[in-house]
Amino acid sequence: FDYLPKPFDLNELISIAGRALQDNSRQPALRAAQDHSENLPLIGRSSAMQDIYRVIARLTQSDLTVLITGESGSGKELVARVLHDFGRRRKGPFVAVNMAAIPHELIESELFGHEKGAFTGAINRQSGRFEQAQGGTLFLDEIGDMPLEAQTRLLRVLQQGEYMPVGGRTAIKTNVRIIAATHRDLRVLIQQGHFREDLFFRLNVVPVRIPPLRERPEDIPDLVRHFLAQAAKEGLPAKQFTRDALEALGRYRWPGNVRELQNLVRRLAVIQADETITATIVEQELAEPARSLAAGEGAILAGESSISRFMERHLARYFADFGGELPPDGLHQRVLHEVEIPMINAALAATNGNQLRAADLLGINRNTLRSKIRGYGLTVTRSPISARAL
C-alpha cells in the first residue's frame, strides 16, 4: 500500500496504516506486484526480496525515474520490466538499450535518432530509442558505460523534456519514463571524472538495489524449482534436487548470481541421466572451475558457448580466491582489458597490421580501434609484402 523511508514520523505511520485499513479497492496491478506469484518474473520470499516487492508496489503508481543497481546477473532488467508491465505505462512500449554494447560514436544517434544526411552513411532518417519508447518506458542498461558527451545530452533531455535528433533542427517533445541500471558504483565514477554528478542526481530519484544471490540464499530452492519448471516446459528432462543438493547450492557464492544458477540448473537438466540431482553431483559441478583451471584447461577454446563457460569458471575461481571478501572495485574494466587486448592483437595479426581491415573484422569503427590501440599501448607491426597483398 505504501512505504516509509527511515527515520519516519510515528503519526505519519499511524495515518497511512489507517488509510490502508479503509482501502479495499487496491489496483489489480498493484496487488500483483506486492503478492509473490509464479506469474511475476521475480522469484524469492526472503526479506531482501520482500523489500523489493514493496518498493515496486509503490513505484507502479508513479512515473518517477528509477536507478537500479546490482551485480551482473542479479535481475536488473527483470525489475525494470516489472515496473513497466505493472505500471501506468504498461500499454506503451518497453524499449531496452544496453549502453555498453553501442560504439561510443553511435550512442547519440541510437538514442535520439538522426536525419537524412546528418553524417556519412545516413541515407535515411532513423528514429532513436526515445522516439520508439514514446508513451512507454526507456530502459538504459549499463548507464555507467555511457560516454560523457552523451551524458550531457541525456541530462538536457531530462531537464527540458525534449531532444534534438542528430542533424535535426526541430526539438521533439519526449514522453517516456526513464529507468536506468548499472552494476558499477556511479559515485566512484563521479570521483574519477567518468560520470556527471548532476546526471546521477537526475537518475537517482528512486534508487533500487537488487541484492546479489549470496545475500538471499534462502531464495535458491524457489529459484531452482522455477528454473526446473521452465526447463520442463521447453522439453528438457524433468529433474528434482535433493535437500542436500539445495543446501550445497546455498553454500556457494554465486559470482554470476541468478543467471549463473539458471545456467547450472539447465546444464544439469541436460547432462545428468538421473532424475534426481544429489549434493555430490552439485559439488562436483561447482568444483569443476577450480579443477579445470588447475589443469590448464581453457588455453584454447572453440565456440562462443565454450568461451562463456570458461569465463564463468574463471570468474568463479577468481571470487573464491578472496574467501569471504569481495575483490577490488573495477572488475568489469579489468576483465574487459584481459579479453580485448588479445582479441585486438589477434585481429591485427590476422590482417598483418592493417587497421582498417582489423576494424572491419572486429566490427568496430576504425577510430575506435586506433583509440584502443593507443589506450592499451599496443604495438602494430605490418609486413610490406602482406600489406600490398591485402
Side-chain angles (χ1 to χ4, degrees):
F1 180 81
D2 207 336
Y3 78 96
L4 293 168
K6 291 189 254 185
F8 54 80
D9 181 77
L10 186 58
N11 291 328
E12 184 182 6
L13 170 62
I14 294 173
S15 174
I16 292 175
R19 293 202 306 271
L21 290 171
Q22 295 173 3
D23 188 356
N24 295 318
S25 59
R26 293 157 65 191
Q27 302 174 12
L30 181 58
R31 289 200 305 270
Q34 287 178 301
D35 300 332
H36 173 71
S37 71
E38 290 300 320
N39 295 324
L40 197 66
L42 295 173
I43 308 298
R45 305 176 190 178
S46 63
S47 59
M49 288 305 297
Q50 292 300 324
D51 290 340
I52 297 295
Y53 298 144
R54 281 191 286 271
V55 173
I56 288 176
R58 180 61 174 167
L59 289 176
T60 54
Q61 303 177 77
S62 73
D63 284 339
L64 292 175
T65 302
V66 179
L67 178 62
I68 304 173
T69 58
E71 297 177 5
S72 296
S74 57
K76 296 187 290 297
E77 184 168 351
L78 279 177
V79 172
R81 286 188 176 276
V82 169
L83 289 173
H84 172 79
D85 293 341
F86 292 91
R88 294 177 175 179
R89 295 176 176 264
R90 55 186 173 275
K91 294 183 179 179
F94 178 88
V95 178
V97 53
N98 188 328
M99 307 307 300
I102 306 173
H104 285 187
E105 64 272 12
L106 298 179
I107 282 184
E108 293 192 24
S109 174
E110 184 78 14
L111 290 179
F112 310 115
H114 63 258
E115 299 294 340
K116 180 180 179 180
F119 50 82
T120 302
I123 58 176
N124 294 305
R125 182 186 182 275
Q126 179 67 45
S127 63
R129 298 305 180 96
F130 269 92
E131 184 175 345
Q132 296 167 13
Q134 191 75 356
T137 300
L138 179 61
F139 176 54
L140 302 176
D141 197 9
E142 301 301 348
I143 191 72
D145 292 291
M146 180 181 249
L148 285 170
E149 301 80 14
Q151 290 178 32
T152 302
R153 290 206 60 183
L154 177 60
L155 176 64
R156 190 175 300 119
V157 175
L158 295 177
Q159 290 174 334
Q160 302 175 359
E162 60 182 26
Y163 63 93
M164 190 85 71
V166 177
R169 297 182 178 180
T170 304
I172 300 176
K173 290 286 185 181
T174 181
N175 176 27
V176 300
R177 181 186 193 178
I178 299 294
I179 299 178
T182 181
H183 71 283
R184 308 179 71 179
D185 189 335
L186 295 186
R187 295 184 186 276
V188 173
L189 294 181
I190 291 171
Q191 295 174 356
Q192 296 173 346
H194 299 316
F195 201 85
R196 292 185 61 116
E197 186 175 28
D198 45 5
L199 177 58
F200 170 75
F201 290 126
R202 282 282 180 175
L203 294 173
N204 198 43
V205 177
V206 181
V208 177
R209 176 184 178 269
I210 309 301
L213 189 55
R214 64 180 174 275
E215 291 183 8
R216 52 186 187 103
E218 60 268 40
D219 289 336
I220 289 178
D222 284 337
L223 288 164
V224 168
R225 283 188 285 270
H226 175 72
F227 295 142
L228 287 175
Q230 277 186 336
K233 288 180 181 179
E234 296 171 5
L236 296 178
K239 305 287 182 181
Q240 61 180 356
F241 282 64
T242 66
R243 179 178 298 180
D244 290 345
L246 294 175
E247 291 176 355
L249 293 175
R251 293 190 294 268
Y252 185 60
R253 283 189 56 81
W254 299 109
N257 289 295
V258 178
R259 186 183 297 122
E260 183 183 359
L261 175 62
Q262 181 181 21
N263 291 338
L264 174 68
V265 171
R266 291 177 62 86
R267 187 161 65 247
L268 291 176
V270 173
I271 66 176
Q272 288 300 321
D274 296 335
E275 181 180 337
T276 301
I277 306 298
T278 65
T280 300
I281 295 174
V282 168
E283 289 168 352
Q284 288 175 347
E285 187 68 22
L286 294 179
E288 184 66 21
R291 288 202 306 270
S292 63
L293 286 174
E297 180 182 316
I300 300 177
L301 294 172
E304 180 181 349
S305 61
S306 296
I307 294 175
S308 298
R309 179 74 181 277
F310 172 74
M311 288 302 300
E312 180 181 320
R313 292 177 172 181
H314 172 71
L315 290 172
R317 174 65 182 276
Y318 177 78
F319 275 81
D321 288 343
F322 287 89
E325 302 295 328
L326 291 176
D329 292 343
L331 175 64
H332 176 267
Q333 198 64 28
R334 292 197 298 275
V335 173
L336 189 63
H337 287 186
E338 290 180 11
V339 174
E340 239 185 355
I341 289 175
M343 183 167 57
I344 291 174
N345 280 331
L348 290 169
T351 58
N352 288 288
N354 188 315
Q355 296 183 33
L356 180 60
R357 291 288 303 277
D360 291 338
L361 179 62
L362 292 167
I364 62 177
N365 183 275
R366 179 175 56 181
N367 292 333
T368 301
L369 175 61
R370 288 176 174 172
S371 176
K372 291 181 180 295
I373 290 172
R374 290 194 300 269
Y376 291 140
L378 303 180
T379 301
V380 180
T381 57
R382 187 172 181 178
S383 167
I385 298 177
S386 298
R388 287 197 296 271
L390 288 171

